[in-house]
Amino acid sequence: MSRVLMLIAIAFGNALRGIRRASTTSLLAVLTIAVVLVLVGSAALLVENMSGLLDEFGAELQVTAYLEPGLPAEAQRELAERVGSAPGVEAVLLVDEAAALARFERIAGGAELLAGLEENPLPASIEVRLRADARTAESLAVLTDSLEGLPGIAELAQGQEWIEGYARAVALARGIATGIGIVLGLAALLIVANTIRLAVYARRDELDILALVGASRTFVRVPFLLEGTIQGLLGGLVALLVVWGAYELLLPQVRFGLELVLGRAELHFFTTVESVRLVLAGAGLGLLGSMTALVGAGSET
Amino acid sequence: MSRVLMLIAIAFGNALRGIRRASTTSLLAVLTIAVVLVLVGSAALLVENMSGLLDEFGAELQVTAYLEPGLPAEAQRELAERVGSAPGVEAVLLVDEAAALARFERIAGGAELLAGLEENPLPASIEVRLRADARTAESLAVLTDSLEGLPGIAELAQGQEWIEGYARAVALARGIATGIGIVLGLAALLIVANTIRLAVYARRDELDILALVGASRTFVRVPFLLEGTIQGLLGGLVALLVVWGAYELLLPQVRFGLELVLGRAELHFFTTVESVRLVLAGAGLGLLGSMTALVGAGSET
Amino acid sequence: MRLYHVSKSYMAGQYALHDVSLEVRRGEFVFLTGPSGAGKTTLMELIFAAEQPSEGQILVLGRNVARIGAGAIPALRRRVGVVFQDFKLLQDRTVEENVRLALDVIGTPRREARARVFQMLKSVGLQHRRFHHPLSLSGGEQQRVALARALVNEPEILLADEPTGNLDPELTIEIMDLIVSASTRGTTVIVATHDHGLIDRYGKRVLRLENGRVVEDHPAASSSIGASA
Amino acid sequence: MRLYHVSKSYMAGQYALHDVSLEVRRGEFVFLTGPSGAGKTTLMELIFAAEQPSEGQILVLGRNVARIGAGAIPALRRRVGVVFQDFKLLQDRTVEENVRLALDVIGTPRREARARVFQMLKSVGLQHRRFHHPLSLSGGEQQRVALARALVNEPEILLADEPTGNLDPELTIEIMDLIVSASTRGTTVIVATHDHGLIDRYGKRVLRLENGRVVEDHPAASSSIGASA
Ligand SMILES: Nc1ncnc2c1ncn2[C@@H]1O[C@H](COP(=O)(O)OP(=O)(O)OP(=O)(O)O)[C@@H](O)[C@H]1O
Ligand SMILES: Nc1ncnc2c1ncn2[C@@H]1O[C@H](COP(=O)(O)OP(=O)(O)OP(=O)(O)O)[C@@H](O)[C@H]1O
Ligand SMILES: [Mg+2]
Ligand SMILES: [Mg+2]
């Protein structure tokens, strides 16, 4: 039992010594993992904030229910409440005839158009904002079905095309993000595996000599695996710091640019959980990388 | 003289032998460079096609010049021709009063709004499409100045906000692309330099022994630099093939997705010049990488 | 230790060892000699399972090395100490750590290991060098570190390939005495050497190889009988 | 070749060489001997500009090696052949390519180089091994390849560190004869060795080092006078 503990202690000692001594190879491996994870991290941050913006954008999509003319204000409010409790609805806004007129007059040329009319021709309406998960063609169909039956509603301006376009844009963005994720992930794994493999290759003597003095495969390999994991962890930490630094540095400019173009810019950094995940991804890459490196080295030993 | 030629021949021989013999390290280096360039290449392709789409989108931006009421058709046409020759103008479209009415009636609810009116209240207009290079706030100002002086034009709906928004979007996209380019380029250089450095490190004996038999720095270094360049070239070629393969494979889906969302999808692969540039970028990375690798190795020799 | 009709050929038609049969008893001391390229190192590599024989069977410590599985090799090697012709020291570890390797692989507690390593280094005269790295040692010093590593875990078999090739005559005697004393404590010893003075001095059994064949098997002056190792 | 009060210290207070002054004439043959760690290899490394002396001046082939610029070292080394104690062969090149290295660095045309390498390998008895890699050679064979590389470009100085440590007595004589014949053709030779039989046999000048100091400088039996190398 104490032999086993001793062997574990020796393995850890060897791993740490490996990192300290083979400083050139270790440093290069850590640096490469860090660079790779900076790419992965930036891409993740970009995609996440993009999808955040997409969400906000989607919040503007709405269904407008035009009400029958002459409906009393009381009935309009009741109707609005009922609509508010329909499936997929996030919020409703009641726009009565006067408000609709005021709005129309604010549109360029609108006032002139209506100048000749004695009576307000604009109907009251209820604007329905959809929940994020309900911004799909299917949910919309369910909603409109349930609204169409309500008395007092004259017509639904569904924005069907808009919603479908939006849903497709979201799907496309998600597809692109997934594609980038897969490509970057594979690239990261390949690069890290290659790097650790080269680092192990530079120390192939060590593998040989350990085998010659009767070290078991486990004794030889575990320190290298630990070393790779620790390198990955360090690389992940460095990457997190770099991405965070870049984020803090670039935030003002990017926010300014986005506000100009989109009118708003709710940007945010990784949450703690996401940050930890990035660092752990580094450790995982390091472990996987050193595993593949040793698979190759096995044939030579 | 023949000594020098001999030395050059030997350097080339050594470089090629280096690649053949140190097959493990070479293969890993080529692979890593290829992976890095696949990332760079994909990003470049994405950015290029994106900016193509942005261009097409920009083609829709236009300035509308409302004409004074009662202008005879003949005068309207003449005016349209004069506007067409103004600076920055790509094309003009004359929309007379009848066409404007027809358009308005097609908008939901438009027909009802106008139902009570006896006379068509809508003015004729000239829609001006801008050349790609004139879609900036400055060019627009020049254009509007020259248009405002023309007799017969009542008002300019400049689309100033739109144009500015578009110009900012283009600038933002270009900024993001540049940012991605810089980050990816630096990452590529770092990763490739690290990889080649590790590959050189794995063969540090060779550097030492060559120095011991009286090889000059040049004799030792040139083969390594050539080797790095050739590895980079090979990596670039592999990357080009992979990106091309992925492009051909994914083209149908992506085109379908884009057509759904944007209504059109003019996608294209790299031109020959751009392809060559990608491969040369690989060679350059390889050369730079091995140069930095040897700078580090120099201290040990 | 027994070899039955062992041959080793690295290239078709060329034998590094050819039909070698021999027996070495437990605790026996054997000098292996012969010209350069005769097959001395190859013979040791076969015993050590660093190479597989092309033909024949090899029995070492009760195991048939010719058919040993990769998983069983480490256990065998821990019972065999080896001094390689090119030392095979780890350049990025100190002398102490290099010697301790042989104890680390069997999980010896750190404190005990350090004490034993110190004693071992003392007996090869290098205790003052224990925190240095092999690269900063002279040829003869490296050779002694290699021997220390081979002996520190009191192996049942010691294979020493030219263990005094880089040592001066006085040190050679010291080191050989160390090896002989290990053998009197029961370790089976095979020493490859070109030094005829050494062979004459100790009067042990001498195996002479030439072109991969045993051409001479001269018994020890005072033969000690034991079981086959 | 002249050394003036040369000292080399790797660690403060400890001298690998201490106040060594000596002169070796052009074409002279010197045996360097002394116990393990005496400083023999260190002395050669200083002459070869692989290490810088801590104190003193070293004149080799008309150059002060103690103050030589990094750019001038390759030119010096091309005129000096060295056999290292650990051979320093490139594992990923064949025997022929290893030996040819010494000719490649001076830009010898390939055809001429191959012919000279073949002759050289023949004289150390390894022409049949020229397309093999060092790892597949025995210790003694590798040692001879290292010597072949050191001699192939007919250097003005040959530094051989234990060049026969892995050779059997017959081969040792053959190889030493080869070195001696290079010296009679004008090459200045320094051979470090522990083999007293060898020293006695050739009756050349003997320098004995102990703890970094020259404790004996025994002139050759038949002294040949020449200019300082
Ligand atoms: N890996 C190998 N591949 C091919 N040939 C080999 C290999 N190892 C050894 N040989 C050859 O087998 C023969 C015996 O080699 P070995 O190393 O056993 O000789 P040795 O008796 O130890 O010689 P030395 O005294 O010079 O060390 C030699 O001719 C050698 O070249
Ligand atoms: N790079 C170094 N760093 C520290 N000490 C060193 C270094 N190289 C040599 N020494 C020490 O200097 C002393 C002389 O070493 P050197 O290699 O010259 O001995 P040597 O006479 O060649 O011995 P041997 O016959 O064993 O090869 C030794 O004690 C050695 O440990
Ligand atoms: Mg041998
Ligand atoms: Mg020495």
Side-chain angles (χ1 to χ4, degrees):
Chain A
M1 190 53 207
S2 89
R3 289 264 132 146
V4 172
L5 285 179
M6 200 58 226
L7 283 170
I8 292 172
I10 290 171
F12 256 101
N14 282 350
L16 287 176
R17 189 191 16 245
I19 289 176
R20 251 186 299 123
R21 301 260 163 104
S23 50
T24 313
T25 55
S26 272
L27 206 76
L28 292 176
V30 171
L31 206 63
T32 306
I33 296 175
V35 171
V36 166
L37 285 180
V38 165
L39 290 186
V40 174
S42 316
L45 201 56
L46 210 70
V47 165
E48 207 177 86
N49 278 305
M50 289 275 223
S51 77
L53 289 176
L54 219 50
D55 262 6
E56 276 178 46
F57 185 64
E60 301 249 310
L61 299 183
Q62 53 191 28
V63 178
T64 307
Y66 292 101
L67 305 187
E68 275 165 9
L71 212 64
E74 188 65 21
Q76 287 182 357
R77 267 196 298 283
E78 256 169 41
L79 197 56
E81 257 165 48
R82 284 186 66 185
V83 170
S85 62
V89 173
E90 188 176 76
V92 292
L93 177 67
L94 178 64
V95 181
D96 64 16
E97 287 87 349
L101 183 63
R103 256 199 211 170
F104 193 81
E105 281 174 340
R106 257 182 278 128
I107 299 172
E112 289 157 35
L113 269 176
L114 301 177
L117 301 173
E118 261 125 70
E119 216 183 293
N120 179 359
L122 297 173
S125 65
I126 298 174
E127 291 176 6
V128 183
R129 192 136 28 105
L130 300 174
R131 281 208 317 271
D133 58 347
R135 285 174 210 140
T136 63
E138 298 79 47
S139 305
L140 189 68
V142 173
L143 177 67
T144 50
D145 277 357
S146 73
L147 293 188
E148 256 164 7
L150 291 179
I153 292 184
E155 198 186 340
L156 280 178
Q158 316 188 359
Q160 180 85 23
E161 277 172 33
W162 257 108
I163 292 273
E164 272 177 14
Y166 172 76
R168 279 192 205 116
V170 168
L172 186 73
R174 219 169 261 156
I176 289 178
T178 310
I180 291 177
I182 290 174
V183 169
L184 257 184
L186 273 179
L189 186 60
L190 259 169
I191 291 172
V192 170
N194 276 356
T195 305
I196 295 189
R197 197 179 191 122
L198 276 175
V200 169
Y201 187 77
R203 288 163 64 196
R204 58 198 179 284
D205 296 359
E206 197 168 328
L207 291 174
D208 289 349
I209 293 176
L210 282 172
L212 287 177
V213 300
S216 62
R217 277 173 70 92
T218 316
F219 187 92
V220 175
R221 274 143 201 265
V222 167
F224 276 96
L225 296 179
L226 277 174
E227 206 178 315
T229 310
I230 296 172
Q231 285 170 350
L233 212 68
L234 290 176
L237 277 174
V238 172
L240 187 64
L241 278 176
V242 170
V243 174
W244 180 75
Y247 176 81
E248 289 291 324
L249 212 73
L250 296 180
L251 186 59
Q253 284 96 309
V254 172
R255 176 169 285 158
F256 179 75
L258 282 176
E259 266 167 8
L260 274 181
V261 177
L262 303 174
R264 78 191 140 265
E266 284 283 326
L267 295 175
H268 62 95
F269 191 63
F270 293 129
T271 62
T272 311
V273 173
E274 287 165 337
S275 302
V276 170
R277 212 177 282 157
L278 184 71
V279 176
L280 288 186
L285 276 177
L287 179 62
L288 261 174
S290 45
M291 274 164 67
T292 65
L294 287 174
V295 167
S299 60
E300 292 145 35
T301 317
Chain B
M1 192 50 210
S2 88
R3 290 263 130 146
V4 172
L5 286 180
M6 201 58 226
L7 283 172
I8 293 173
I10 290 171
F12 257 102
N14 282 351
L16 288 177
R17 188 190 18 244
I19 290 177
R20 251 186 298 125
R21 300 261 164 104
S23 49
T24 312
T25 56
S26 271
L27 205 76
L28 292 176
V30 170
L31 206 63
T32 306
I33 296 174
V35 171
V36 166
L37 285 179
V38 165
L39 289 186
V40 174
S42 317
L45 201 56
L46 210 70
V47 165
E48 208 177 85
N49 279 305
M50 290 276 222
S51 77
L53 290 176
L54 219 51
D55 263 6
E56 275 178 49
F57 184 64
E60 301 248 310
L61 300 183
Q62 55 191 29
V63 178
T64 306
Y66 291 101
L67 305 187
E68 277 165 7
L71 213 64
E74 189 63 22
Q76 289 182 355
R77 269 198 298 281
E78 256 169 42
L79 197 56
E81 258 165 46
R82 285 185 66 184
V83 171
S85 61
V89 173
E90 190 175 77
V92 292
L93 176 68
L94 178 64
V95 182
D96 63 18
E97 287 86 350
L101 184 64
R103 256 198 211 172
F104 192 82
E105 282 174 341
R106 255 180 278 129
I107 299 172
E112 289 155 38
L113 268 176
L114 300 177
L117 302 173
E118 259 126 66
E119 215 183 293
N120 176 2
L122 298 173
S125 64
I126 299 176
E127 291 177 3
V128 183
R129 191 131 34 103
L130 299 174
R131 280 209 316 270
D133 59 346
R135 283 173 211 143
T136 64
E138 299 78 48
S139 305
L140 188 69
V142 173
L143 177 67
T144 50
D145 277 357
S146 74
L147 292 188
E148 258 164 4
L150 291 180
I153 291 183
E155 200 188 338
L156 280 177
Q158 312 188 0
Q160 181 82 26
E161 279 172 33
W162 255 107
I163 291 274
E164 274 177 14
Y166 172 77
R168 280 191 204 113
V170 168
L172 186 74
R174 220 168 260 156
I176 289 178
T178 311
I180 290 177
I182 290 174
V183 169
L184 257 184
L186 273 179
L189 186 59
L190 260 169
I191 291 172
V192 170
N194 277 356
T195 305
I196 295 189
R197 198 180 191 119
L198 275 175
V200 170
Y201 188 77
R203 288 162 65 195
R204 59 198 179 282
D205 296 359
E206 195 168 331
L207 291 174
D208 290 348
I209 293 176
L210 282 172
L212 288 176
V213 299
S216 63
R217 278 171 69 90
T218 316
F219 186 93
V220 174
R221 274 142 202 267
V222 168
F224 275 97
L225 295 180
L226 278 174
E227 204 177 314
T229 311
I230 295 172
Q231 285 169 351
L233 213 67
L234 290 177
L237 277 174
V238 171
L240 187 65
L241 278 177
V242 170
V243 174
W244 178 77
Y247 176 81
E248 289 291 323
L249 213 73
L250 296 180
L251 187 58
Q253 283 95 313
V254 173
R255 176 170 284 157
F256 178 75
L258 283 176
E259 267 167 9
L260 273 181
V261 176
L262 303 174
R264 77 192 138 267
E266 283 283 324
L267 295 176
H268 61 95
F269 192 63
F270 293 128
T271 61
T272 311
V273 173
E274 288 166 334
S275 302
V276 170
R277 212 177 280 157
L278 184 71
V279 175
L280 288 185
L285 276 177
L287 179 63
L288 261 173
S290 45
M291 273 163 67
T292 65
L294 287 173
V295 166
S299 60
E300 293 146 35
T301 316
Chain C
M1 182 193 315
R2 274 209 180 98
L3 281 78
Y4 299 99
H5 305 291
V6 170
S7 292
K8 174 70 186 177
S9 165
Y10 290 105
M11 286 159 294
Q14 281 189 288
Y15 286 96
L17 280 182
H18 202 173
D19 196 19
V20 172
S21 294
L22 59 88
E23 178 173 357
V24 179
R25 303 199 159 270
R26 194 155 286 182
E28 206 176 356
F29 191 117
V30 182
F31 278 119
L32 197 61
T33 187
S36 175
K40 303 181 293 298
T41 302
T42 302
L43 182 61
M44 292 192 169
E45 283 171 351
L46 290 179
I47 294 170
F48 191 58
E51 293 283 353
Q52 287 289 304
S54 311
E55 285 159 47
Q57 307 300 329
I58 304 176
L59 257 112
V60 178
L61 297 170
R63 291 199 139 271
N64 187 343
V65 183
R67 317 193 151 196
I68 201 165
I73 290 180
L76 174 77
R77 288 186 179 166
R78 287 176 212 164
R79 301 165 69 189
V80 182
V82 188
V83 180
F84 297 94
Q85 217 165 351
D86 54 357
F87 315 150
K88 295 211 187 292
L89 300 176
L90 284 174
Q91 304 299 349
D92 64 346
R93 307 211 183 178
T94 64
V95 165
E96 189 198 66
E97 288 167 337
N98 265 286
V99 176
R100 212 176 57 209
L101 264 190
L103 296 174
D104 282 352
V105 296
I106 52 175
T108 308
R110 187 54 47 103
R111 192 188 306 247
E112 183 192 335
R114 304 196 98 187
R116 281 171 67 181
V117 168
F118 184 83
Q119 279 309 315
M120 195 64 234
L121 284 174
K122 207 165 160 187
S123 63
V124 298
L126 286 176
Q127 75 280 16
H128 60 291
R129 296 299 230 135
R130 66 184 181 285
F131 299 131
H132 291 191
H133 285 255
L135 270 183
S136 73
L137 299 183
S138 80
E141 287 162 350
Q142 290 183 41
Q143 195 158 41
R144 282 177 279 159
V145 174
L147 180 66
R149 186 180 62 192
L151 282 177
V152 72
N153 63 344
E154 299 182 344
E156 293 163 60
I157 295 179
L158 172 69
L159 307 173
D161 201 350
E162 210 81 63
T164 60
N166 289 278
L167 301 181
D168 53 285
E170 293 77 35
L171 208 48
T172 296
I173 303 297
E174 261 179 53
I175 293 300
M176 279 307 299
D177 285 348
L178 192 70
I179 295 177
V180 169
S181 84
S183 124
T184 56
R185 284 198 307 276
T187 299
T188 310
V189 176
I190 300 183
V191 174
T193 186
H194 291 298
D195 189 338
H196 289 295
L198 215 59
I199 295 174
D200 296 343
R201 183 187 169 97
Y202 285 91
K204 300 286 185 181
R205 175 175 170 194
V206 179
L207 270 172
R208 189 173 168 76
L209 285 178
E210 254 172 49
N211 288 321
R213 292 176 188 272
V214 180
V215 294
E216 197 187 318
D217 189 348
H218 190 85
S222 58
S223 175
S224 64
I225 309 293
S228 184
Chain D
M1 182 194 315
R2 273 209 181 98
L3 281 78
Y4 299 98
H5 304 291
V6 171
S7 292
K8 175 68 185 178
S9 164
Y10 289 106
M11 285 159 294
Q14 282 189 288
Y15 285 95
L17 280 182
H18 202 172
D19 196 20
V20 172
S21 294
L22 59 88
E23 180 173 356
V24 179
R25 303 200 158 270
R26 194 155 288 179
E28 206 177 355
F29 191 119
V30 182
F31 277 118
L32 196 62
T33 186
S36 174
K40 304 180 292 297
T41 302
T42 302
L43 182 63
M44 292 192 170
E45 283 171 350
L46 290 179
I47 294 170
F48 192 59
E51 293 283 352
Q52 287 289 302
S54 312
E55 285 160 46
Q57 308 299 329
I58 304 175
L59 258 112
V60 179
L61 296 170
R63 291 198 138 273
N64 188 343
V65 182
R67 317 191 150 197
I68 202 166
I73 290 179
L76 175 76
R77 290 187 178 164
R78 289 176 211 165
R79 300 166 68 189
V80 181
V82 188
V83 179
F84 297 93
Q85 217 166 351
D86 54 358
F87 315 148
K88 296 210 188 291
L89 300 176
L90 285 173
Q91 303 300 350
D92 65 346
R93 307 209 184 180
T94 64
V95 164
E96 190 199 65
E97 288 166 338
N98 266 287
V99 175
R100 212 176 57 207
L101 263 190
L103 297 173
D104 281 352
V105 297
I106 53 175
T108 308
R110 186 57 45 104
R111 192 188 307 245
E112 183 191 334
R114 304 196 98 185
R116 282 170 66 180
V117 168
F118 184 83
Q119 279 308 315
M120 196 64 235
L121 283 175
K122 206 163 158 187
S123 63
V124 297
L126 286 176
Q127 74 280 15
H128 60 291
R129 296 299 230 136
R130 67 184 180 284
F131 298 130
H132 291 192
H133 286 255
L135 270 184
S136 72
L137 298 183
S138 80
E141 287 162 350
Q142 290 183 42
Q143 195 157 41
R144 284 178 276 159
V145 174
L147 180 67
R149 186 180 65 191
L151 282 177
V152 73
N153 63 343
E154 298 181 346
E156 294 164 60
I157 295 179
L158 172 68
L159 307 173
D161 202 350
E162 211 80 62
T164 59
N166 288 277
L167 302 181
D168 53 286
E170 294 75 35
L171 208 48
T172 297
I173 304 297
E174 259 179 56
I175 292 300
M176 281 307 299
D177 285 348
L178 191 71
I179 296 177
V180 170
S181 84
S183 128
T184 56
R185 284 198 308 274
T187 299
T188 310
V189 176
I190 300 183
V191 174
T193 185
H194 290 298
D195 189 339
H196 288 295
L198 214 60
I199 296 174
D200 295 344
R201 182 187 168 96
Y202 285 92
K204 299 287 186 180
R205 177 176 169 193
V206 180
L207 271 171
R208 190 173 166 78
L209 286 177
E210 254 172 48
N211 287 321
R213 291 175 189 272
V214 180
V215 295
E216 198 187 319
D217 189 348
H218 191 84
S222 57
S223 174
S224 65
I225 310 294
S228 183

